[in-house]
Amino acid sequence: MTHDVALTDLLARAADHLSFEPPGEGDPTADPRGDHDLDGADDAVVPGPLHRRAAVLVPVLPRATGPSVLFTVRAAHLRDHSGQIAFPGGKIDADDPTPADAALREAREEVGLTADAIRVLGYLDPYLSATGFLVVPVLGLVDPEARLNLNPDEVAATFEVPLAHLLDRTQRRIESAEWRGRRRRYYVTLYGPYRIWGVTAGILNNLQERLYP
């Protein structure tokens, strides 16, 4: 994969390949991606249909060296996924008009990014976690001057990774581990001391599939 990613090209690809409407029933992208894709048709175990709905913001920041993606490190005291690398996001509330609204709300609550600092570029494919969350990723362009205000109850730290690194297939691998009595396979991307894996890495793989096939 190229080591140079232009912001103008990213915006053009998003305009061509992403929708501003969330995928609904019958939409081709309503058939969710997930780590089960890595198991093969004969071995895939897809979580049941009573999915819990969630949304995340995939925040892209323009930088002089090229676009970068913002990640959070979840607080160590959280009950679920403590210390893991994630995108800002969480459960979709009943009063969230759209998944994008939920993702923007969560970004404000977790890292202090306000909606007026984010330009929504469209929806990636829903991603079904092994724990039954149906996660709708929202790609967003963030004002590089926006200031972060981390909520320590949820986020321990943030960091950025160049988009070019995330799109470099040589930096992505598939690992496996025993989980609930079966071997589970998942994507992993390393960047310095950070290990990006699971749903977050799967969403990044889908971003590449949709925008940079």
Side-chain angles (χ1 to χ4, degrees):
M1 184 65 203
T2 179
H3 291 280
D4 297 310
V5 178
L7 178 62
T8 53
D9 184 49
L10 170 66
L11 297 179
R13 289 170 183 263
D16 287 342
H17 300 294
L18 301 185
S19 172
F20 284 101
E21 294 296 324
E25 186 176 355
D27 188 298
T29 59
D31 181 20
R33 308 304 306 271
D35 291 345
H36 56 269
D37 290 345
L38 300 175
D39 294 332
D42 295 332
D43 299 320
V45 177
V46 182
L50 296 178
H51 304 140
R52 293 171 288 178
R53 299 173 67 240
V56 298
L57 177 70
V58 182
V60 177
L61 292 101
R63 298 300 187 201
T65 55
S68 68
V69 177
L70 179 73
F71 296 87
T72 68
V73 181
R74 289 174 59 82
H77 63 264
L78 291 174
R79 183 181 63 180
D80 296 323
H81 310 297
S82 60
Q84 290 187 10
I85 307 304
F87 293 121
K91 296 178 183 178
I92 299 176
D93 290 342
D95 56 354
D96 289 319
T98 67
D101 289 293
L104 295 177
R105 173 181 55 76
E106 288 284 347
R108 183 185 71 249
E109 293 174 358
E110 291 186 7
V111 297
L113 282 176
T114 57
D116 59 0
I118 303 167
R119 173 185 166 190
V120 172
L121 301 179
Y123 288 96
L124 297 170
D125 295 340
Y127 202 90
L128 183 57
S129 77
T131 54
F133 276 98
L134 184 62
V135 182
V136 181
V138 181
L139 188 66
L141 184 67
V142 178
D143 182 347
E145 301 300 322
R147 299 186 64 178
L148 302 181
N149 183 23
L150 308 190
N151 178 353
D153 291 335
E154 299 189 55
V155 176
T158 60
F159 65 97
E160 294 180 27
V161 180
L163 181 58
H165 179 89
L166 299 171
L167 296 177
D168 186 347
R169 295 185 186 276
T170 66
Q171 301 296 327
R172 189 181 315 137
R173 63 185 188 228
I174 296 173
E175 294 185 0
S176 66
E178 289 290 332
W179 187 75
R180 294 185 179 178
R182 64 182 300 269
R183 182 151 292 273
R184 175 190 171 196
R185 305 175 76 213
Y186 47 86
Y187 290 105
V188 176
T189 296
L190 302 179
Y191 183 71
Y194 302 108
R195 184 173 183 270
I196 305 166
W197 69 284
V199 172
T200 304
I203 289 172
L204 292 171
N205 183 71
N206 179 243
L207 183 152
Q208 183 160 37
E209 290 177 334
R210 290 292 302 277
L211 300 186
Y212 297 91

